[in-house]
Amino acid sequence: MQIGPFIFKPGLLPSLVTLVLLVLLTSLGFWQLDRAEQKRALLSDYRKGEGAVSIPIVGKIEFTEGLKYQMASLKGRYETHRQILLDNRTSNGMAGYHVVTPLRLKDGAGILVNRGWIGIGESRDVLPDIVVDDQFRDIQGRLKPIAEKVFRLGEELPREQWPYRIQHINIESISQELGYSLIPFVVLLSSDQSDGFVRDWKPLTFGPERNQGYAVQWFGLAVALLFIYIIVNTSRENN
């Protein structure tokens, strides 16, 4: 292709490589924009729950979009001897666990209650003290949906001794171990409730602005790649 005194004559292999890289870079940019939109929707759901009247949970309920991050009130007893430690959770840069305790409701169903963050302590070989009584109680907190897709290095295996450490919550697996069905939410125990640990609940670690910034970077790299491709494969015609 000739434009004035310049000739654009790219080779086949550089063209194929450039095309593949352009598709990859633009795909990553649109993926980051999609992640930003998902985070905006999550923040919207979280804000809707602020100041709203608590929904009473008295029996088994199914997952619905309208319940995400809504305030809820529940009555039941903690399963004091069958608790779970969510591993690799941090607070102010310190390593620790989220303490998750099953709450057994009157109708026999259960729900997992995240009672907050607790530090590892001096050694991972010694589990922290997370004892709580099994008295009948009223609690309040936010209904957080269970993440459907999470990165796992391997399947979580049932353990013989409680409490045990896991990386992610699998409702079906934990229900089987407990022997009763669990409502498909985790209650983020409110900070004014008793028998909890550090509870500085935030819907996101980073907001959608960061994903938008990443998208700009990926699109910028795509534009730079296209510019370099054109420059490298363009030469001035020799008279």
Side-chain angles (χ1 to χ4, degrees), residues 204-224:
L204 294 169
T205 304
F206 303 109
E209 298 79 14
R210 174 169 291 199
N211 297 91
Q212 289 177 319
Y214 289 152
V216 170
Q217 291 179 8
W218 288 122
F219 289 138
L221 287 173
V223 171

Side-chain angles (χ1 to χ4, degrees), residues 218-239:
W218 288 122
F219 289 138
L221 287 173
V223 171
L225 174 65
L226 185 59
F227 181 76
I228 293 171
Y229 170 73
I230 293 173
I231 294 298
V232 169
N233 293 284
T234 301
S235 60
R236 180 181 287 272
E237 182 182 22
N238 294 322
N239 294 324

Side-chain angles (χ1 to χ4, degrees), residues 27-46:
S27 298
L28 288 170
F30 283 115
W31 175 67
Q32 288 294 344
L33 290 179
D34 184 60
R35 287 286 297 137
E37 188 59 34
Q38 292 175 16
K39 287 185 176 181
R40 277 191 285 269
L42 188 152
L43 288 172
S44 177
D45 291 335
Y46 199 84

